[in-house]
Structure formats: structure tokens, C-alpha cells
Amino acid sequence: MFVVLLRFSANKAQAPQFMEGHKAWIRRGMEDGIFLVVGSLQPNAGGAILAHDTSLSELEARVNRDPFVVENIVSAEILEIATSLTDERLSFLVN
């Protein structure tokens, strides 16, 4: 399981220009079954994604295709979690 942190950079003001491409990138991640949760970092600090069913290298490649990453609107950090215990509803996340 992975947590992707997308923190706004100094180019944050350019976000509206690339928002539609960023939203399409998110939709693809959801449709592909890779992204489980997508949300905003508060207060207005960027975004976060919970991802699974992929490798670190595949996720890095996917994240690097996000228009916000390409245009340096956000900086991306990927945290890998070796899941060992979950609520029963999330048991599919256990390694």
C-alpha cells in the first residue's frame, strides 16, 4: 500500500491552468483500480492519494505523468506501507 503526498510548490498559482489534466489523471488512477482514496491536504496544502495493487516503480511512473508533477505545481512524495493489520473491511490491503 502507498500514500502519495502531492504538496504545492512555488508554482501553485498555475494549478487552474492544468486542473482538467490533473483531474483526468486522477480518474484514470481510480478507473485502473490503483487509487483507493483521493483528497486534499488541509489547509490548501496539496493532495494525498491512497494507492494499492501496484509496484513502487509503476506508481512512480504514474505519478510522474500527473500534469501537476510535470509542471512542478506539486512535489510528490511516495510512502510505502507494509500493511500488517487492518480493519476487516480493508483486509485486501494486508501483504
Side-chain angles (χ1 to χ4, degrees):
M1 181 176 79
F2 301 92
V3 175
V4 180
L5 301 174
L6 301 171
R7 292 190 174 101
F8 282 124
S9 71
N11 293 334
K12 176 182 175 181
Q14 294 180 5
Q17 183 179 346
F18 298 96
M19 185 60 74
E20 288 308 310
H22 176 67
K23 287 180 179 180
W25 174 80
I26 290 171
R27 278 192 304 275
R28 278 191 302 278
M30 296 296 280
E31 291 167 358
D32 291 345
I34 302 299
F35 297 168
L36 297 174
V37 176
V38 176
S40 297
L41 294 174
Q42 299 301 312
N44 198 23
I49 299 167
L50 180 61
H52 85 120
D53 201 23
T54 189
S55 69
L56 178 58
S57 62
E58 290 170 344
L59 184 57
E60 287 171 335
R62 181 181 292 268
V63 167
N64 287 333
R65 290 190 299 269
D66 176 3
F68 275 15
V69 172
V70 170
E71 298 298 329
N72 196 30
I73 294 164
V74 298
S75 62
E77 179 182 5
I78 299 174
L79 306 172
E80 185 170 5
I81 301 171
T83 311
S84 59
L85 181 64
T86 68
D87 178 278
E88 187 176 298
R89 294 168 291 178
L90 299 174
S91 62
F92 66 95
L93 294 173
V94 176
N95 295 333

